[in-house]
């Protein structure tokens, strides 16, 4: 798995290959010494930047469509909650005879 041209960092059951920056499961490899605090922070930051490189910014049209979907979902959920509130208020008034 490890060639002379690429460096591999092992942390627990995960392996980060320096050549591609990808993190993969370490299959059956012997355990190595645990990284110290600062090495773990550096590894975490490398992984964060690796993930940020994969992010694709949506186009304006996609952004408007996604915003419309979210706002539509919020309106539907508000209607559901409002309906349930009215239903439960009516049930409490019928069961307990509480005047409105």
């Amino acid at each position: 798995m490890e060639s002379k041209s690429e460096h591999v960092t092992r942390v627990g059951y995960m392996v980060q290959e320096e050549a591609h920056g990808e993190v993969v499961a370490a299959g059956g490899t012997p355990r190595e010494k645990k990284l110290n605090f600062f090495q773990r922070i550096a590894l975490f930051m490398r992984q964060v930047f690796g993930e940020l490189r994969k992010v694709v910014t949506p186009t304006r049209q996609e952004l408007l469509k996604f915003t419309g979907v979210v706002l539509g979902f919020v309106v539907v959920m508000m209607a559901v909650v409002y309906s349930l509130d009215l239903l439960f208020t009516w049930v409490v008034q019928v069961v307990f005879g509480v005047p409105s």
Side-chain angles (χ1 to χ4, degrees):
M1 179 173 170
E2 186 175 341
S3 66
K4 294 181 188 234
S5 63
E6 67 181 82
H7 178 72
V8 175
T9 304
R10 288 186 179 85
V11 179
Y13 295 106
M14 303 302 290
V15 176
Q16 180 179 18
E17 298 178 2
E18 292 287 333
H20 304 293
E22 295 180 5
V23 178
V24 294
T29 58
R31 297 189 120 196
E32 291 190 8
K33 185 177 175 184
K34 185 176 177 181
L35 297 176
N36 69 32
F37 179 73
F38 295 107
Q39 290 172 328
R40 285 183 288 171
I41 290 176
L43 175 62
F44 175 75
M45 294 307 293
R46 282 195 307 270
Q47 291 171 348
V48 167
F49 287 122
E51 290 298 320
L52 286 175
R53 275 189 231 107
K54 298 177 188 177
V55 173
V56 177
T57 305
T59 63
R60 183 170 180 83
Q61 183 180 4
E62 290 173 334
L63 186 63
L64 291 174
K65 182 172 37 171
F66 296 156
T67 303
V69 168
V70 169
L71 291 177
F73 179 77
V74 168
V75 168
V76 169
M77 291 308 297
M78 286 173 52
V80 169
V81 170
Y82 181 72
S83 301
L84 288 174
D85 182 52
L86 287 178
L87 175 69
F88 292 144
T89 302
W90 178 79
V91 169
V92 168
Q93 287 177 354
V94 169
V95 172
F96 296 108
V98 177
S100 53

